Amino acid sequence: MERVMKQAAKVKDPSPHWVFTFGAGRAEGDAAQRDLLGGKGAYLAEMSRLGLPVPPGLTISSEVCAAYYRSGKKLPEALMPMVSEALNVVGKVAGARFGDVDNPLLVSVRSGSRASMPGMMDTVLNLGLNDETVEGLARRSSDRRFAYDTYRRFIQMYGDVVLGIDHYLFEEALENYKSLKGFELDSELGPEHWAELVARFKSIVEQELGQPFPQDLQRQLWGAIAAVFGSWHNARAIAYRRLHDIPDDWGTAVTVQAMVFGNMGGRSATGVVFTRNPSTGANELYGEFLVNAQGEDVVSGLRTPQPLTEAARKVTGDRRPSLEGLMPEAFADLKAACAKLEAHFRDIQDIEFTVEEGRLWMLQSRSGKRSMQAALKIAIDMAGEGLITEQEAVLGIDAAQLDQLLHPTLDPDSPKLVIGKGLPASPGAASGKLVFDADEAVHLKAQGHTLILARVETSPEDVQGMHAAAGIITTRGGMTSHAAVVARGMGRPCVVGAASVQIDLERETLSSGNETLAKGDVVTIDGSTGQIIKGRVPTREPALSSDFLTLMGWADRHRRMKVRANADTPADARQSLAFGADGIGLCRTEHMFFEEGRIVPMREMILADDTDGRRAALAKLLPMQRKDFVALFEIMAGSPVTIRLLDPPLHEFLPHGEAAIGEVAAAMGVSPQRLKRRVAGLSEFNPMLGHRGSRLLVSFPEIAEMQARAIFEAAIEAGRKLKTSVEPEIMVPLVTAKAELDLVKERIDGVARAVEKEQGVKLTYSVGTMVELPRACINAGEIGKSADFFSFGTNDLTQTTFGLSRDDAGRFLGEYTEKGIIQHDPFVTLDPAVGELMWIAVERGRRSHPDLKIGICGEHGGDPETIRFCEDIRLDYVSCSPYRVPVARLAAAQAALSPMVKPR
Ligand code: PEP
Ligand code: MG
């Protein structure tokens, strides 16, 4: 065999090199060549090099896939002689010959892409059979039953995959035949029955196609290779690539491999095994197998597979024997092969194997997909076993998936009737009774109901109701809309922009297609996928395991950037600390006025028509603000806290409806009519681009003064209690120029001097600015001279760079990603153009102010890809909603450990 494979290496080295052989302890490629050979081909080559029992074969490189599509779905002429030559070599190693009537070589033709796409593309097994070679196979195996069973399997699979005949027709013919003959099980059929079935299957092909089943083996082979390349573009594969960000131009490789037969009788079997339990991570072989079967029998689910090990058999109480009990030698070989593969690839492996008459063959190995819980356990165990380093353990976890551990998830085994879909705005799953009014939600919650609040969109008036609800649905708005940001901050599951669903607020119904749900009907939402589901779906609760805490500890050891939280309330602050935040990077003070009793004075302040009126309202707000800040400072116990001065798009706070207007009018001592006129006078065409942020503070500096006073007085009070110095960071929103910041800063400094004097203390504080407008990025050199720190507000920076309203984008952005105009929702993953503006701001800011502290506090601050970018441009910290802090800690560590390299 060794000699034959050496010959393989000598096969005329064609240019280009499209065909790579493997088998008998040798291979032309290796595991590093995934791009060219696909995962399957590359791992088969590597397994062969490792001396594992791999049936010989050849892999046609993914370059041919590109050539196939370039030439209008034609296989290149030059490929045929290369494959034929390689197939001769494969046949010699296997001890058979393709097309030999006495000793035919049968092959499988399988796909293999660079990234694993399980079950998405096509496979043909048992290729190489026709009316003549089937007799040869019968003679070779001295088993006619096996030979004809294999032939009918081939006709069915080839008919389905290559000739496009519905496999149901074959299955139906088999079932009809069995009932005609009075058989129940396939195993009751003898050779003459299978031969008869072969004839029936062939006539199905002839009926459907108007031509006989191809007897020419070369034609069969080329047909199958072309079909597998063709399956790269089937609907399933395309959808899978979209979902997993796999580029269309990668293409698939095709592996043609000598068949081994798990269906050669009672000493043969086929199965799959994971080297560890992919669900729990336990270090035990986990898998199943079927006696006298081929791979598709395991996948089809028609027969129930048996447990692999004795231990698993005892746990499940299965009466049938395990592979360990039934074929102890093959099992021992499999166990050894698993150990060898795991040690070699240093990762859990998912393996396909076949036992042919007692002898083990390895058909495939790949990195095993695992639950998040298992991923953590495996990474920590493997580091403990010395198989991988602590750094590799940190790098091996998918940070984006870590989120799964922090929120309840839907039970994957329960049935679901999905009635609509929106954007997955805040992860986690929740079921509850539908309610359409925020106040009613508060009321019903108090009576003990669990609720899902459904709104067209939300505003600050809804915040109490959002808090009372277990989950939130909106039909408008994008990933940074009010509902999305608030829900994420609260850790409530939320689906926004569900445009396929209609909400009728008058009738209090939610409808989609034929389904209409009314108030009180139970609905489930999955904020991690955006699904809206009719009825209740059981959920699984999260638990922060010791594995989670260990891995987080390791991540913290390796990250450079700090991770802060966007937290507006004491509850948020506590949650942030529990999730390991290093401080608060953004306290949106306007969110502090969502609480009961505060919205009215807030509105009084906004609606006051003179300075005195505003000062009177501010005087009511001052003690509330101070109390909030004292609580925050105390909870954070000396960790940094960045408080942003008021930045409401005014429209979010204006009262709507008679009742709300009446309430504010009464508080202000004016008539409702007068207040209505004032509301109308303040309404803006583009509130997001209107009188907000520093512009509001420039017009009404008394707001900045009140807030600065509340912050300073709170810092002194909390500092006394904590017996430490509390050094607040005050942040000015939405500036475009140094002069805006200077104006506000002057007021803040003035208040600081006054408070110092009043209380006889020295204050330590810093004043910085949000950088969230393109003009601020360009002017960062100048602005940086006046700022102690910058914090990128990438929500507004994205909105203004694109000229795209963050509240409306959700309605049409989906089309942009679908049509490939943009790769990702720019409100979730940082757009490169926005990134370039940030880079400019960092460069210019640090040039004029070398030790300028810089962070990010837009929603992107919790996105792993964005965090990698933040590491690359050397930000000092990222800040994100509390529930994303663990994700950010891990992503920051990964970025520091392997800049510019994606984790596996
Ligand atoms: C931002 O714009 O990114 C930001 C953090 O501020 P807000 O979302 O409050 O506008
Ligand atoms: Mg902003």
Side-chain angles (χ1 to χ4, degrees), residues 788-828:
D788 295 319
F789 60 89
F790 281 175
S791 180
F792 286 107
T794 44
N795 303 334
D796 275 309
L797 192 56
T798 302
Q799 165 169 260
T800 47
T801 301
F802 274 81
L804 181 66
S805 153
R806 51 198 262 202
D807 287 338
D808 297 315
R811 277 195 262 170
F812 50 85
L813 218 51
E815 239 175 277
Y816 268 60
T817 38
E818 254 161 48
K819 293 185 175 158
I821 300 170
I822 50 171
Q823 287 289 310
H824 304 281
D825 181 339
F827 290 105
V828 176

Side-chain angles (χ1 to χ4, degrees), residues 25-44:
R26 293 177 54 94
E28 287 180 279
D30 60 33
Q33 286 173 292
R34 291 181 76 97
D35 296 5
L36 217 53
L37 305 181
K40 191 172 292 139
Y43 270 50
L44 280 168

Side-chain angles (χ1 to χ4, degrees), residues 389-607:
T389 62
E390 184 180 303
Q391 286 91 327
E392 285 170 323
V394 167
L395 281 169
I397 303 292
D398 183 344
Q401 266 193 34
L402 196 66
D403 228 17
Q404 286 176 11
L405 292 183
L406 309 175
H407 303 272
T409 47
L410 290 181
D411 177 1
D413 302 328
S414 297
K416 300 174 190 71
L417 176 58
V418 178
I419 58 168
K421 196 160 185 311
L423 298 171
S426 178
S431 303
K433 291 182 180 166
L434 264 177
V435 58
F436 296 86
D437 180 84
D439 292 338
E440 198 169 356
V442 175
H443 179 67
L444 290 172
K445 166 84 191 303
Q447 295 178 356
H449 295 281
T450 306
L451 306 154
I452 301 292
L453 176 65
R455 304 281 302 159
V456 174
E457 59 195 338
T458 62
S459 78
E461 282 177 273
D462 296 322
V463 169
Q464 294 297 322
M466 294 170 77
H467 198 263
I472 297 132
I473 302 171
T474 71
T475 51
R476 279 178 55 179
M479 294 293 276
T480 59
S481 63
H482 178 265
V485 172
V486 172
R488 223 173 281 141
M490 289 176 176
R492 293 284 181 285
C494 178
V495 175
V496 299
S500 63
V501 166
Q502 290 84 43
I503 288 179
D504 186 330
L505 289 176
E506 294 239 315
R507 293 210 188 120
E508 302 200 296
T509 57
L510 179 149
S511 45
S512 168
N514 300 333
E515 297 286 349
T516 296
L517 304 182
K519 186 169 82 175
D521 287 347
V522 174
V523 70
T524 298
I525 62 169
D526 185 344
S528 312
T529 62
Q531 286 179 336
I532 301 171
I533 301 155
K534 183 178 172 181
R536 185 176 308 280
V537 180
T539 53
R540 293 189 177 168
E541 275 307 309
L544 297 187
S545 62
S546 66
D547 290 336
F548 173 86
L549 298 173
T550 304
L551 195 98
M552 282 292 127
W554 292 356
D556 289 345
R557 273 214 282 270
H558 296 289
R559 67 184 158 92
R560 182 191 61 82
M561 285 189 293
K562 297 282 181 208
V563 174
R564 298 194 187 185
N566 295 352
D568 312 325
T569 62
D572 287 350
R574 276 190 210 99
Q575 189 65 67
S576 310
L577 283 182
F579 282 146
D582 300 309
I584 293 179
L586 173 64
C587 168
R588 290 176 163 106
T589 50
E590 59 275 13
H591 286 188
M592 301 174 112
F593 298 103
F594 292 157
E595 272 180 41
E596 194 69 57
R598 297 186 177 191
I599 191 99
V600 174
M602 179 70 180
R603 284 175 171 160
E604 279 179 64
M605 190 271 292
I606 291 169
L607 293 164

Side-chain angles (χ1 to χ4, degrees), residues 644 647 692 770 772 796 806:
R644 185 177 73 183
D647 175 28
R692 58 175 282 225
M770 300 278 296
E772 51 186 342
D796 275 309
R806 51 198 262 202

Side-chain angles (χ1 to χ4, degrees), residues 657-680:
E658 294 298 326
I661 288 186
E663 195 181 1
V664 180
M668 292 174 72
V670 297
S671 70
Q673 284 69 23
R674 176 146 171 232
L675 196 70
K676 267 191 206 160
R677 277 198 301 280
R678 180 77 181 135
V679 169

